[in-house]
Amino acid sequence: MKLMPWGVVLAGISLVSCQGRQQALPPDVAKQVDKIFEKWDRPGSPGCALGIYKDGQIVYKRGYGMANLNDDVPITPATVFHVASMSKQFTAASILLLAQQGKLSLDDDVHKYIPELPDFGERITLRHLLHHTSGVRDQWSLLGLAGWRYSQDLITDDDVMSVLVRQRALNFKPGEKYMYSNSGFTLLAIIVKRVSGMSLREFTTKNIFEPLGMAHTHFRDDHEEIIKHDALGYEQDGKDKPFRMNLTNFDTAGATSLHTTVEDLQLWDENFYHPRIGGPELIRQMLERGKLNSGEQQDYASGLVLGTYKGLPTVDHGGADAGYRSDLIRFPEQHFSTAVLCNFANTDPSALALQVADILLARDLKASAPVPAKEPATAVAMTAERMATIAGTYWGREDDDFTRLRVKDGKLQTDVGRDDFHELKPFAPAHFHVANVPWGDDIDVHFVAADAAKPSRLEQTFAGGKPEIYESVAAVDPTAAQLAEYPGPFASQEIDPIYRISLQDGKLTLLRLKNKPDMLWPAMRDVFVGEIGTLRFTRDANHHISGFILDAGRIQNFQFTRINGYPTRP
């Protein structure tokens, strides 16, 4: 029998009634959906819970794999998951509800509610926090620099505030750019508590979850709390290695810590079509894009990301903490959503949810633009001389990071981590994909002027997005005498631990609390790069090393000063 196109299945009349209460997928379609998750649909493996929502109903829900490997407890649609940063949309909704009640304004300065936050000489509004344009440094990165082990050491709101109140600078002027910051949503949760007199958990339960009937959803703000039917998180170092538990250890909520189910999330999802809480104004504000000082609009709204997939508008937000991964992707024009909640760090819920959409929205989705045929390798084969010309060090000005290219065994390679080099495979003149990494074929590394002389820059694009620009810089090879200038103890006024730079086997190495030694490689004069990020050493009037400035992803311009007279280690 010829099967109907999957897109027709969701046309309305083609859905199967389930005991008169809800619609369900035809068995053949459900089988196709299940196949997406078959890798985890077995005893002895963690997995995922799936919820598919259409026109206000759950049309399919299933669990794949195990919620608890200790006791062989399977995942079901009623299994409760920690959903990490998916939490942010509920924190944002709480702030917007308080604004509706006239208890605060999105344009209020954060210091009005959190006066202990340092005065950075700039006005930081609640709107900045909602849209990740505040410039406030990220809490997890700050705690990591201070020696905290993410999801291993207990982290509370007080711990987060203990590092935030010591900051002396922002990453950038508020509104100048977008940079994801968990700190902003922790601050918003604290503001909810100070304005409403209720913790974020209490406020959301009373004002969001109970009114919507989300009986199995709450913010967990006590790591010792017992949660019925809660999934444990897992990780795996390699496919042949055993699973290991990887759990959160947080008493902080706002940026994270929501626990929920795929069944409960449908009730929240439907509120975006028929608002039972907050009314249409809440939905409008939730979906209002952030805007930079320049007027440039961002994809990030209030705890939600606005995008497109194969020609259709989408609204989503994922989450990743410890062994947990999650995403809820909404296709508003189709009144269709997919929630995927997983308890295994090696899963990609966003990709899984989109694969489900590929099946069920096939009639509405536009085919991806055809990928130009790749020229045969012989047509773009690289000579040894050309590879030697391209090899070198390239600097990304935007985030102050570096990438290295080298020639080894007759192949041009790029680093994707500490001494982890992968081959660059040419597919067009001066254009390369990265071999043997996930989505490597979606990465286009383009060398500008590569056909004429030494490239002036490389442009790295992922899936056709905005290119990241890296400029070619002169390579350096410090002598032993030059390297001997850098070792010593360094301290920052913004965190407690002493950072030590030492020489080990002729290479600079960073030693810091609760971290393995971090070998640094020279990128430019007085600039070294390690797993931690980029260290730019500073010099005093006598040209002696006086400190360094650290740029590390969500932490920028973090200053350390050399400590004179402090005992050193070999």
Side-chain angles (χ1 to χ4, degrees):
M1 182 178 72
K2 185 177 180 180
L3 298 178
M4 293 184 298
W6 300 137
V8 177
V9 173
L10 290 181
I13 59 173
S14 299
L15 287 167
V16 178
S17 174
C18 180
Q19 298 179 353
R21 294 192 302 274
Q22 70 175 31
Q23 296 169 318
L25 298 183
D28 289 335
V29 181
K31 186 175 181 180
Q32 292 296 313
V33 171
D34 290 341
K35 188 173 180 62
I36 296 171
F37 296 87
E38 65 180 352
K39 180 178 180 180
W40 302 283
D41 191 19
R42 56 187 174 86
S45 171
C48 305
L50 167 68
I52 303 176
Y53 320 140
K54 172 63 178 172
D55 294 332
Q57 298 181 359
I58 299 177
V59 297
Y60 196 62
K61 56 183 180 180
R62 249 209 74 178
Y64 308 90
M66 311 300 286
N68 183 333
L69 294 177
N70 293 341
D71 301 310
D72 296 326
V73 179
I75 294 173
T76 75
T79 299
V80 178
F81 287 82
H82 170 98
V83 296
S85 287
M86 274 182 63
S87 309
K88 289 180 171 66
Q89 58 197 287
F90 298 95
T91 305
S94 300
I95 288 290
L96 295 175
L97 288 172
L98 287 170
Q100 283 188 2
Q101 298 168 13
K103 295 182 178 179
L104 54 76
S105 167
L106 301 187
D107 296 313
D108 285 340
D109 192 312
V110 65
H111 295 93
K112 177 178 178 179
Y113 307 102
I114 308 182
E116 64 268 35
L117 195 69
D119 180 0
F120 300 107
E122 301 286 351
R123 178 178 172 82
I124 305 171
T125 67
L126 308 194
R127 197 182 302 274
H128 287 137
L129 300 179
L130 285 170
H131 296 152
H132 295 298
T133 58
S134 68
V136 175
R137 291 165 172 163
D138 185 78
Q139 64 191 45
W140 303 130
S141 300
L142 285 172
L143 288 164
L145 294 180
W148 296 76
R149 293 166 298 184
Y150 178 78
S151 83
Q152 296 180 48
D153 296 325
L154 174 62
I155 297 174
T156 69
D157 281 346
D158 288 342
D159 297 325
V160 173
M161 289 304 298
S162 73
V163 291
L164 290 183
V165 298
R166 293 185 60 179
Q167 298 307 294
R168 296 195 164 208
L170 299 171
N171 282 334
F172 50 84
K173 182 178 180 179
E176 185 178 86
K177 61 188 292 187
Y178 167 93
M179 182 177 285
Y180 196 89
S181 174
N182 287 282
S183 304
F185 279 79
T186 297
L187 293 172
L188 290 171
I190 292 172
I191 290 171
V192 169
K193 182 176 182 178
R194 294 184 180 181
V195 170
S196 71
M198 293 182 280
S199 67
L200 180 67
R201 173 175 181 160
E202 294 167 334
F203 184 88
T204 50
T205 297
K206 180 179 179 181
N207 292 277
I208 300 176
F209 305 140
E210 286 182 350
L212 292 179
M214 300 172 69
H216 303 289
T217 301
H218 72 280
F219 273 98
R220 182 179 190 173
D221 52 12
D222 178 359
H223 72 287
E224 295 179 334
E225 176 189 5
I226 295 172
I227 300 177
K228 294 291 187 181
H229 311 299
D230 204 34
L232 300 180
Y234 296 92
E235 64 180 0
Q236 189 179 33
D237 293 333
K239 66 178 182 178
D240 298 324
K241 301 292 184 179
F243 296 110
R244 300 173 62 251
M245 282 197 295
N246 189 355
L247 308 176
T248 58
N249 201 10
F250 305 149
D251 279 1
T252 180
T256 184
S257 295
L258 186 77
H259 285 241
T260 190
T261 70
V262 295
E263 294 175 326
D264 275 10
L265 284 173
Q266 187 276 328
L267 300 169
W268 169 248
D269 182 74
E270 186 61 16
N271 196 68
F272 282 79
Y273 300 99
H274 301 99
R276 294 164 55 192
I277 61 163
E281 180 61 14
L282 174 70
I283 305 308
R284 184 194 68 79
Q285 289 184 300
M286 288 286 294
L287 299 177
E288 183 178 350
R289 296 172 182 265
K291 186 182 294 185
L292 301 184
N293 297 337
S294 64
E296 179 184 348
Q297 278 199 330
Q298 303 300 293
D299 293 336
Y300 203 93
S302 292
L304 294 168
V305 180
L306 309 185
T308 58
Y309 179 68
K310 294 185 178 179
L312 299 183
T314 59
V315 180
D316 88 296
H317 205 296
D321 273 339
Y324 300 96
R325 301 292 183 269
S326 58
D327 206 347
L328 168 60
I329 299 180
R330 179 179 308 115
F331 290 80
E333 293 181 355
Q334 286 67 40
H335 201 154
F336 172 88
S337 302
T338 299
V340 179
L341 311 182
C342 304
N343 65 332
F344 184 37
N346 294 33
T347 54
D348 184 348
S350 300
L352 295 169
L354 292 175
Q355 288 180 58
V356 172
D358 285 338
I359 294 173
L360 298 175
L361 297 181
R363 187 178 66 177
D364 299 306
L365 293 168
K366 297 178 181 178
S368 300
V371 178
K374 300 176 183 178
E375 297 185 34
T378 55
V380 291
M382 299 290 291
T383 64
E385 291 77 13
R386 183 61 54 81
M387 287 189 287
T389 298
I390 292 176
T393 302
Y394 293 79
W395 172 51
R397 182 186 301 271
E398 181 72 15
D399 295 319
D400 193 22
D401 60 345
F402 291 81
T403 187
R404 293 172 292 174
L405 279 78
R406 72 181 186 186
V407 179
K408 185 176 182 181
D409 300 327
K411 297 177 181 179
L412 183 64
Q413 299 178 336
T414 183
D415 61 341
V416 296
R418 181 204 296 266
D419 295 326
D420 185 14
F421 283 81
H422 288 254
E423 181 184 0
L424 285 174
K425 299 172 63 177
F427 67 91
H431 289 264
F432 298 77
H433 292 314
V434 182
N436 301 319
V437 296
W439 309 292
D441 285 345
D442 291 327
I443 301 173
D444 178 0
V445 180
H446 174 213
F447 293 92
V448 178
D451 290 347
K454 178 71 178 177
S456 60
R457 69 179 188 273
L458 69 82
E459 299 177 354
Q460 181 172 289
T461 306
F462 179 76
K466 182 179 179 181
E468 298 179 3
I469 308 300
Y470 288 80
E471 304 169 24
S472 176
V473 296
V476 295
D477 185 15
T479 65
Q482 290 171 330
L483 288 176
E485 296 184 68
Y486 299 99
F490 297 80
S492 170
Q493 294 181 330
E494 299 175 281
I495 56 174
D496 287 325
I498 301 297
Y499 279 40
R500 292 179 173 85
I501 303 293
S502 70
L503 265 175
Q504 296 185 3
D505 299 324
K507 296 183 179 180
L508 282 192
T509 302
L510 171 63
L511 305 174
R512 59 191 180 111
L513 181 66
K514 296 183 182 179
N515 281 268
K516 295 179 180 179
D518 189 358
M519 194 172 298
L520 308 176
W521 59 270
M524 299 169 62
R525 183 178 185 272
D526 287 340
V527 180
F528 291 78
V529 178
E531 286 292 298
I532 192 174
T534 300
L535 285 73
R536 291 182 170 272
F537 285 89
T538 56
R539 294 178 180 268
D540 60 22
N542 297 316
H543 303 289
H544 298 143
I545 297 296
S546 59
F548 65 82
I549 297 172
L550 172 66
D551 287 335
R554 296 173 182 173
I555 301 290
Q556 298 289 306
N557 199 35
F558 202 81
Q559 300 192 23
F560 286 80
T561 301
R562 189 170 196 161
I563 307 174
N564 296 317
Y566 195 89
T568 60
R569 293 181 179 178

